[in-house]
């Protein structure tokens, strides 16, 4: 699934590392939409943490939590408990409602691979995207 144009996006990061199209452009990016109450989301995060340990210098990784904004502290605890080394953001109301630049991402986990220009090259909805399939999507980017 190759997108014709870069996807414009920006989410409220938990820290000073932005989760936006501008900040992540220039390297391939793996962007995962998760919730703190989803076991498949947790499994996806576990895979991504291991992948980032091996190739985080060549690939951007980021999470967008679809938990309500008032659960920010819970998302911060989730990030800490899962030892997430890459940026984590909170999705906005539009995204949590099934809209936004990536369309409906509410069937978590949803994992999206973007090329260096920010175009969607792969998307896995509603199931854990294993490292082998993400690496295949990243190959050659």
């Amino acid at each position: 699934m190759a997108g014709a144009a870069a996807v414009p996006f920006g989410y409220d990061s938990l820290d000073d590392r932005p989760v936006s199209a501008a900040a992540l452009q220039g390297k391939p990016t793996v962007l995962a939409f998760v919730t703190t109450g989803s076991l498949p989301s947790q499994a996806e995060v576990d895979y991504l943490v291991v992948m980032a340990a091996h190739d985080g210098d060549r690939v951007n990784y980021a999470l967008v939590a679809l938990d309500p904004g008032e659960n920010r502290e819970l998302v911060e605890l989730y990030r800490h408990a899962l030892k997430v080394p890459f940026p984590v953001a909170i999705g906005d109301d539009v995204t949590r409602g099934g809209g936004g630049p990536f369309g409906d991402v509410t069937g978590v986990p949803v994992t999206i691979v973007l090329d260096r220009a920010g175009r969607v090259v792969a998307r896995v909805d509603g199931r854990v995207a294993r490292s082998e399939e993400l690496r295949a999507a990243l190959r050659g980017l």
Side-chain angles (χ1 to χ4, degrees):
M1 160 184 191
V7 178
F9 66 93
Y11 300 102
D12 180 22
S13 181
L14 295 181
D15 56 28
D16 62 351
R17 298 173 296 168
V19 177
S20 67
L24 299 175
Q25 209 166 36
K27 289 184 186 178
T29 296
V30 177
L31 183 64
F33 293 85
V34 299
T35 60
T36 58
S38 161
L39 286 176
S41 288
Q42 182 176 338
E44 186 67 68
V45 172
D46 288 341
Y47 276 119
L48 298 181
V49 166
V50 171
M51 288 181 69
H54 290 98
D55 61 13
D57 57 330
R58 297 178 313 276
V59 177
N60 294 316
Y61 290 87
L63 296 180
V64 179
L66 298 180
D67 296 63
E70 61 267 15
N71 288 355
R72 185 181 188 96
E73 185 175 329
L74 176 62
V75 175
E76 289 175 353
L77 291 170
Y78 182 83
R79 173 183 65 175
H80 178 73
L82 297 179
K83 298 177 174 58
V84 178
F86 43 82
V88 178
I90 303 283
D92 54 29
D93 290 339
V94 172
T95 303
R96 278 192 298 279
F102 294 102
D104 189 357
V105 292
T106 59
V108 295
V110 174
T111 306
I112 296 171
V113 177
L114 304 169
D115 68 9
R116 294 174 193 278
R119 297 176 298 235
V120 175
V121 296
R123 179 178 172 135
V124 178
D125 284 85
R127 67 174 177 80
V128 176
R130 300 208 181 259
S131 56
E132 304 84 43
E133 75 184 297
L134 292 175
R135 290 200 190 287
L138 289 164
R139 201 167 290 124
L141 294 182

